[in-house]
Amino acid sequence: MGESVQTLAYGSWPSPIDAALAAAHDGRPEDVGFVGDEVWWTAPRPAEGGRRTLVRRHPDGTEEPVLPAPWNVRSRVIEYGGRPWDALSDGTGVTVVFVNFADQRLYALEPGGAEPRPLTPLSPVGGGLRWAEPQLRPERGEVWCVLEEFTGDGPGDVRRVPAAVPLDGSAADDRGAVRELVGERHRFVTGPRVSPDGRRAAWLAWDHPRMPWDGTELVVADIGADGTFEQPRTVAGGAEESVAQVDWAPDGALLFASDRTGWWNLYRDGRPLCTREEEFGGPLWKLGRRWFAPLDNGLVAVVHGRGATALGILDPETGEVVDAAGPWTEFTDTLAAHGERIVAVGASPRSAYEVVELDARTGRARVIGAPHEDAVDPAYYPEPRIRVFTGPDGREIHAHVYPPHHPECTAPDGELPPYVVWAHGGPTSRSPLVLDLEIAYFTSRGIGVAEVNYGGSTGHGREYRNRLRGQWGVVDVEDCAAVALALADEGGADRERLAVRGGSAGGWTAAASLTATDVYACGTIIYPILDLTGWGTGETHDFESQYLETLVGPLAEVPQRYTERSPAEHADRVRAPFLLLQGLDDVICPPAQCERFLDRIAGRGVPHAYIAFEGEGHGFRRAETMVRALEAELSLYAQVFRIDPRGIPTLELTT
């Protein structure tokens, strides 16, 4: 390859990874499950308006979409959603229930038969009626699930309860036919898990101002003869203990993941099964997430790890975990078991997310669905480095660094590469170390990327997670800046060509970084939070409406802190050019936040661009949106860093 290597400036390397390719591979399989002996999951369709479809894998290995466009299998409960489908096979046919995104009704379907038929009614009140975690209960002729019901027009006018929906369709036009399984006790609930003998139900619950990773209650109730839940009682959890998942072992023991020791570990009837300083659970951003699944033989399939996750099998008797062999270095919070078969979703820095089956008997793992296929020569993929940096006060900062990489290009001697610091959303979340063609889009052109799992991120225990309590806009900003400056000090990045980018909570960190530091030459801010006071007083949805009480502090007690940290209040401090991207249908971080910020930046001479996308909410899902956003971002860097990425439409910046 030596003679074919070109010497070109960083940022101008020709790349086969264009924005359309990156958009086509956005998203991943989710919500895996067994239907008889078949494996099913939901899958993204960016080219079909960003919908999600339901896919079944037949015994011969072929995959088939169960629902054609425009059906979109996705729930809006707590806005981030939850498991949106369930299905059962009776040997002669399959019954499927699913939530359709457009109207949020629960539907029933017999594949190969008539069109899906609605099981639940529409409601003209507020956000209507929504459903998540459906579980077919054919012995009762019902579907048990979480009901989210709006009682008024405000985002906080809402109630949530476990409920039963008749399978015969009698509730399709009659809210009164929906049976509530227990009285309204908590603001938030997960779907009930029923014990093997059918006599008890268990679920998780929590209330404002807690988020589920702060503290949840594990509730158990007896199931009465009429199918209602009797004598609900809390058996684990609390204000400072987060129970992330609950299920039943085949012998009726209660299994749950709790962080009572500072790490999400597994417990059986309150007894620890495997005490380790690693996570066997995670943040409950969507209802129905699963990090463990009990097997019929008493073993437990687990997704676990520290800073990354593996798929393994836990022996409750010995506490030993045997991990699946294979190339995957990251598994997501979706897991299902059937007999001795386990299905999960795994990925690695060289492969995108794919459906993996593990045979608990042989220990063999293999890809059975959504297999990764190299869209381009893997030589163009980034080569990440796992790093731990030192931040203020000597604290550790975990990060993934992706240097510029191209098999046929190198930079002139003495030139240092530009770098973009990526701040993940959440903020109670993390950036996984997996193949992301959006990252490859930049690194293959000669622009480095550093993903920062700043203090507050998950995967490193509760103490690391709690660093952000009261410090949002401080610790995250400091940690991102520390990584950027460390890369420059090491001689691995150009100090004058550093950028910051992030979406949602990461958009907040990006914007706060531009108002609070002079580290970055420019920034990309995607569907962000920009005004804490507005967001904390009704401009967002119910689930996160009191999140800031922990992240920033009680608004009633420290209102000045909300003002001091809000980028919208300090637009006069912004000196660096920026790109602002927003979905007009976003109810989590609404466009009003962006508009307020732009009003205050107007006329200050700061080059910037604002692109608002109709039909997009919180998280872009349409291929055309992702293409335009990615190309606009690259054009911003090209103009500020003075590079020529070739063939990219020029983003018009205004002042």
Side-chain angles (χ1 to χ4, degrees):
M1 186 178 72
E3 294 184 359
S4 65
V5 174
Q6 301 181 73
T7 299
L8 296 171
Y10 284 118
S12 64
W13 299 348
S15 173
I17 302 172
D18 61 15
L21 188 68
H25 290 80
D26 187 76
R28 67 193 190 201
E30 289 186 332
D31 306 306
V32 297
F34 283 95
V35 182
D37 290 329
E38 296 182 354
V39 178
W40 293 34
W41 62 88
T42 62
R45 294 290 186 264
E48 299 178 16
R51 77 182 185 101
R52 292 192 72 86
T53 190
L54 188 58
V55 175
R56 69 187 297 183
R57 180 185 184 273
H58 293 284
D60 63 3
T62 58
E63 297 178 18
E64 176 192 7
V66 177
L67 291 159
W71 295 103
N72 188 352
V73 185
R74 183 174 152 221
S75 169
R76 282 188 62 184
V77 168
I78 67 170
E79 293 301 344
Y80 291 106
R83 186 177 178 87
W85 74 276
D86 191 27
L88 286 177
S89 172
D90 62 6
T92 60
V94 175
T95 298
V96 184
V97 291
F98 69 94
V99 178
N100 183 48
F101 182 74
D103 57 14
Q104 287 299 291
R105 299 175 85 180
L106 191 65
Y107 285 81
L109 168 71
E110 286 75 38
E115 283 285 296
R117 54 187 176 85
L119 298 180
T120 57
L122 292 169
S123 170
V125 180
L129 299 172
R130 302 174 180 180
W131 315 86
E133 289 196 80
Q135 300 169 52
L136 281 158
R137 309 296 300 177
E139 75 281 4
R140 293 186 178 273
E142 295 176 328
V143 185
W144 288 10
C145 46
V146 173
L147 161 63
E148 180 177 79
E149 180 175 26
F150 281 79
T151 59
D153 293 330
D157 299 329
V158 62
R159 60 192 297 270
R160 300 173 187 90
V161 293
V165 176
L167 265 172
D168 62 8
S170 57
D173 296 305
D174 181 8
R175 165 64 180 87
V178 175
R179 188 169 62 86
E180 297 188 9
L181 296 171
V182 70
E184 186 179 352
R185 292 165 45 88
H186 296 279
R187 188 73 167 189
F188 303 95
V189 295
T190 63
R193 306 294 298 179
V194 178
S195 62
D197 62 8
R199 297 172 60 185
R200 291 175 294 167
W203 66 95
L204 306 180
W206 67 98
D207 295 287
H208 285 318
R210 284 179 283 159
M211 299 300 286
W213 41 86
D214 295 324
T216 57
E217 295 181 21
L218 169 50
V219 183
V220 175
D222 299 324
I223 301 177
D226 61 352
T228 58
F229 298 166
E230 301 174 345
Q231 301 177 333
R233 51 205 179 273
T234 298
V235 299
E240 292 293 329
E241 178 186 350
S242 169
V243 180
Q245 183 192 335
V246 61
D247 211 330
W248 299 91
D251 63 359
L254 191 65
L255 300 174
F256 60 92
S258 165
D259 73 346
R260 60 180 57 168
T261 65
W263 299 84
W264 275 300
N265 282 184
L266 284 187
Y267 296 82
R268 175 186 164 94
D269 287 338
R271 177 178 62 86
L273 294 183
C274 181
T275 303
R276 295 187 182 186
E277 288 192 350
E278 59 180 73
E279 309 284 31
F280 289 75
L284 201 62
W285 280 103
K286 295 182 179 182
L287 304 185
R289 300 295 87 186
R290 303 196 77 191
W291 294 268
F292 70 86
L295 306 182
D296 291 344
N297 59 10
L299 301 178
V300 183
V302 292
V303 170
H304 69 107
R306 181 169 181 165
T309 50
L311 173 64
I313 298 176
L314 167 66
D315 184 340
E317 296 298 322
T318 65
E320 295 180 355
V321 180
V322 178
D323 289 335
W328 312 283
T329 57
E330 184 74 33
F331 282 86
T332 66
D333 49 3
T334 181
L335 192 63
H338 174 60
E340 293 179 319
R341 299 169 62 195
I342 301 160
V343 288
V345 175
S348 78
R350 307 295 290 179
S351 60
Y353 290 101
E354 46 197 1
V355 181
V356 177
E357 180 177 298
L358 171 62
D359 186 323
R361 180 177 53 85
T362 65
R364 179 172 177 256
R366 62 190 179 110
V367 175
I368 64 163
H372 170 77
E373 296 180 358
D374 291 315
V376 297
D377 186 336
Y380 291 93
Y381 293 163
E383 298 181 347
R385 303 168 184 171
I386 301 173
R387 296 286 306 273
V388 180
F389 293 89
T390 301
D393 302 321
R395 64 178 181 251
E396 289 186 347
I397 307 168
H398 298 272
H400 305 144
V401 177
Y402 299 81
H405 176 75
H406 194 296
E408 298 173 352
C409 291
T410 189
D413 290 342
E415 183 184 0
L416 295 175
Y419 255 84
V420 184
V421 171
W422 284 27
H424 63 71
T428 308
S429 185
R430 66 183 176 90
S431 295
L433 188 65
V434 299
L435 178 63
D436 184 338
L437 289 188
E438 282 199 7
I439 293 177
Y441 178 80
F442 293 104
T443 57
S444 61
R445 286 172 166 76
I447 300 173
V449 171
E451 292 182 311
V452 182
N453 283 316
Y454 48 80
S457 301
T458 55
H460 301 281
R462 190 176 185 110
E463 182 179 351
Y464 194 86
R465 204 163 75 235
N466 283 351
R467 284 185 189 177
L468 215 55
R469 284 193 171 188
Q471 296 297 309
W472 196 38
V474 179
V475 165
D476 51 325
V477 169
E478 290 178 346
D479 286 2
C480 287
V483 170
L485 294 175
L487 290 171
D489 291 345
E490 294 170 359
D494 187 339
R495 174 65 182 86
E496 303 305 314
R497 294 193 294 174
L498 299 173
V500 62
R501 83 98 96 151
S504 188
W508 154 270
T509 300
S513 295
L514 296 184
T515 61
T517 78
D518 62 357
V519 171
Y520 307 102
C522 60
T524 300
I525 305 166
I526 308 170
Y527 38 85
I529 300 165
L530 296 169
D531 177 359
L532 292 179
T533 302
W535 204 77
T537 55
E539 282 189 350
T540 191
H541 62 137
D542 184 60
F543 176 57
E544 292 179 276
S545 62
Q546 296 188 37
Y547 196 4
L548 301 183
E549 297 286 299
T550 301
L551 288 176
V552 181
L555 177 59
E557 298 175 16
V558 290
Q560 73 285 354
R561 192 181 296 170
Y562 283 61
T563 302
E564 291 168 359
R565 295 188 191 169
S566 293
E569 296 291 340
H570 301 292
D572 58 312
R573 298 179 185 173
V574 178
R575 298 287 184 270
F578 65 89
L579 168 64
L580 186 56
L581 302 169
Q582 177 67 43
L584 291 177
D585 292 347
D586 194 339
V587 297
I588 296 173
C589 296
Q593 294 252 323
C594 291
E595 294 160 5
R596 197 173 302 135
F597 180 70
L598 291 169
D599 285 345
R600 295 171 182 176
I601 209 82
R604 295 188 177 276
V606 179
H608 66 278
Y610 176 51
I611 306 177
F613 298 98
E614 292 186 2
E616 291 283 13
H618 197 68
F620 301 151
R621 290 176 169 82
R622 298 178 177 179
E624 59 270 25
T625 299
M626 291 183 276
V627 168
R628 189 179 180 200
L630 205 52
E631 290 182 342
E633 182 178 356
L634 180 57
S635 180
L636 171 70
Y637 303 149
Q639 294 177 58
V640 174
F641 297 157
R642 300 186 182 281
I643 57 179
D644 179 12
R646 305 182 185 188
I648 301 300
T650 300
L651 174 69
E652 183 178 348
L653 299 174
T654 63
T655 56

